[in-house]
Amino acid sequence: MDVKKHLRYLFFVVLVLFVLNKLLIRPWVLDVNLGFPSLLIVNSFPNFAEAVVGTLVVTNLILLLRLKVRALSLRLSNCRVCLLASLISGFYVISQELEIHNIGGNNVYDPNDIAASIIGLIFINIIFARYGVAVQHVTATEEDGL
């Protein structure tokens, strides 16, 4: 499966930023007390990251499934893969914020976290739409039909 490189890089960058935020940036902002905007960003960034990384993981799982199940490869275009992954990830992150489940751990309802999750979902879908998801390989039979 050939997931485009930019998605691999994005996954890594968001994951590193998540860890840096958790271990260094958020404790520093809380300690220094830089004010509400900074506090809002460092406290809600994990939700943004969860939406982005979660959508990327679900996208990869669906692409893998599409690769393994021939019937799905005919029905699931890259666009449909992105839409399905976004719906699954969106349902997960928002239902977690609304405390419908706590699979991701203990959660405190915060409308800013829901907004950060939605912004993350919009962001990753803009990346999908602009740069694509997977490299399409053309087989010999498809080349004959082109």
Side-chain angles (χ1 to χ4, degrees), residues 28-141:
W28 179 76
V29 167
L30 292 172
D31 195 37
V32 175
N33 195 10
L34 293 177
F36 180 73
S38 300
L39 202 57
L40 177 67
I41 291 168
V42 297
N43 284 333
S44 294
F45 181 77
N47 297 84
F48 172 88
E50 180 181 40
V52 171
V53 169
T55 304
L56 288 170
V57 168
V58 173
T59 299
N60 280 316
L61 290 173
I62 295 171
L63 287 171
L64 253 174
L65 187 63
R66 182 176 80 172
L67 187 67
K68 299 291 182 189
V69 180
R70 175 118 172 100
L72 286 179
S73 67
L74 300 174
R75 291 189 181 149
L76 283 177
S77 65
N78 282 347
C79 183
R80 287 183 177 167
V81 167
C82 296
L83 179 63
L84 185 58
S86 296
L87 289 172
I88 292 169
S89 299
F91 177 76
Y92 173 80
V93 296
I94 292 177
S95 62
Q96 180 182 357
E97 277 308 311
L98 295 175
E99 298 177 347
I100 294 171
H101 65 83
N102 66 348
I103 296 172
N106 291 335
N107 215 21
V108 176
Y109 173 76
D110 182 359
N112 296 319
D113 290 346
I114 292 175
S117 296
I118 292 170
I119 291 168
L121 290 166
I122 291 169
F123 170 77
I124 193 61
N125 278 282
I126 289 170
I127 298 296
F128 286 161
R130 182 155 180 127
Y131 302 107
V133 178
V135 176
Q136 295 293 329
H137 293 288
V138 179
T139 62
T141 56

